[in-house]
Amino acid sequence: AVVSTQSTGGALRNDHVMIVPTNHIKCQQFLEPNQQDDVQKFKRALRTHNRTSKKSTTVFFERSVSTSHMQVHAVPVPRYSVNDIKDVFYTFADKYSLEVQEIPAGEDWQDTVPPGSDYFIAEFENDDKLIFLCSQKVRFPLQFGREVLASEELLNMPRRVSWKECKISKEQEEHDVKQFRKAFTEFDSFKGGDSDSDSD
């Protein structure tokens, strides 16, 4: 199974959510077909929730580098256009000399990534995706997704790039989780499948 879990303890925002498998799976490449379906259901629900309740577009990102358990982050961003958000990803890719491949909506991004290869993927409201293949030549910045979204161009919260700077009290965690669950219930096709968890 797959669950939607609030990214407490390291969230960029209090509505920063992760999609994670309940069993031990490194990344989306290794999900079973039924798990892939569950991930897509959560993505659709989160997009609708953020668009309707937050007036925000949703950016999903996953890093398979230096991790042993899949985490697909879902972060609401004020309603910039998809192209504006992509431009920021490209700017940071240039900063770190990263190779980027754009995958249009409707195409399978996994055809671009050799099985077992390390990658970073960003996915947008219109289902377009950016794939960053990780090579031995360039060290991939582990906080890349957070750095892009926290930048002045988007969420404008550069101090929150490191999840360690985002720690909150247990009371605040419980409050945020309760508020998210209440707001998300009407959009959640799984009804009660989300739980709280720490970010890496």
Side-chain angles (χ1 to χ4, degrees):
V2 173
V3 297
S4 172
T5 164
Q6 199 157 18
S7 181
T8 55
L12 283 168
R13 302 165 43 123
N14 61 6
D15 48 10
H16 174 173
V17 172
M18 293 187 297
I19 302 170
V20 299
T22 54
N23 57 329
H24 185 74
I25 294 176
K26 175 178 168 59
C27 62
Q28 290 185 83
Q29 278 193 316
F30 300 114
L31 290 173
E32 297 293 334
N34 65 309
Q35 293 176 309
Q36 297 273 12
D37 291 342
D38 286 352
V39 168
Q40 295 308 313
K41 287 179 183 178
F42 274 123
K43 286 179 178 178
R44 287 193 295 270
L46 288 165
R47 282 186 177 121
T48 303
H49 167 61
N50 291 329
R51 188 169 55 244
T52 304
S53 305
K54 305 287 183 179
K55 307 302 180 187
S56 296
T57 186
T58 306
V59 177
F60 298 97
F61 69 87
E62 181 203 11
R63 165 177 58 80
S64 75
V65 189
S66 299
T67 187
S68 58
H69 195 75
M70 182 194 109
Q71 294 180 346
V72 177
H73 294 255
V75 182
V77 176
R79 293 299 298 272
Y80 291 94
S81 73
V82 168
N83 285 337
D84 287 341
I85 299 174
K86 282 182 187 176
D87 286 344
V88 182
F89 272 94
Y90 276 112
T91 297
F92 278 82
D94 288 342
K95 174 183 176 181
Y96 291 111
S97 301
L98 303 175
E99 294 184 13
V100 190
Q101 296 186 51
E102 186 158 346
I103 311 297
E107 293 189 15
D108 188 352
W109 65 270
Q110 297 199 41
D111 292 340
T112 306
V113 182
S117 298
D118 284 331
Y119 64 87
F120 177 96
I121 181 171
E123 183 176 338
F124 307 99
E125 187 79 16
N126 64 351
D127 206 34
D128 283 356
K129 301 168 187 69
L130 295 180
I131 297 287
F132 302 76
L133 292 177
C134 306
S135 68
Q136 300 292 331
K137 299 177 182 178
V138 180
R139 182 179 180 276
F140 192 87
L142 297 184
Q143 302 297 335
F144 183 73
R146 298 178 64 95
E147 187 175 355
V148 173
L149 295 179
S151 66
E152 293 181 1
E153 294 89 340
L154 296 177
L155 296 178
N156 192 23
M157 45 180 63
R159 291 185 179 181
R160 299 182 73 84
V161 170
S162 171
W163 68 268
K164 295 178 183 179
E165 299 298 321
C166 302
K167 293 182 179 179
I168 56 177
S169 68
K170 187 66 177 177
E171 293 75 16
Q172 187 64 49
E173 276 190 21
E174 292 173 353
H175 176 267
D176 289 349
V177 169
K178 184 177 180 180
Q179 290 298 109
F180 172 78
R181 286 178 173 170
K182 182 179 179 181
F184 186 59
T185 296
E186 66 176 291
F187 303 96
D188 182 10
S189 59
F190 295 91
K191 298 297 183 187
D194 54 315
S195 61
D196 58 326
S197 174
D198 289 339
S199 171
D200 70 353

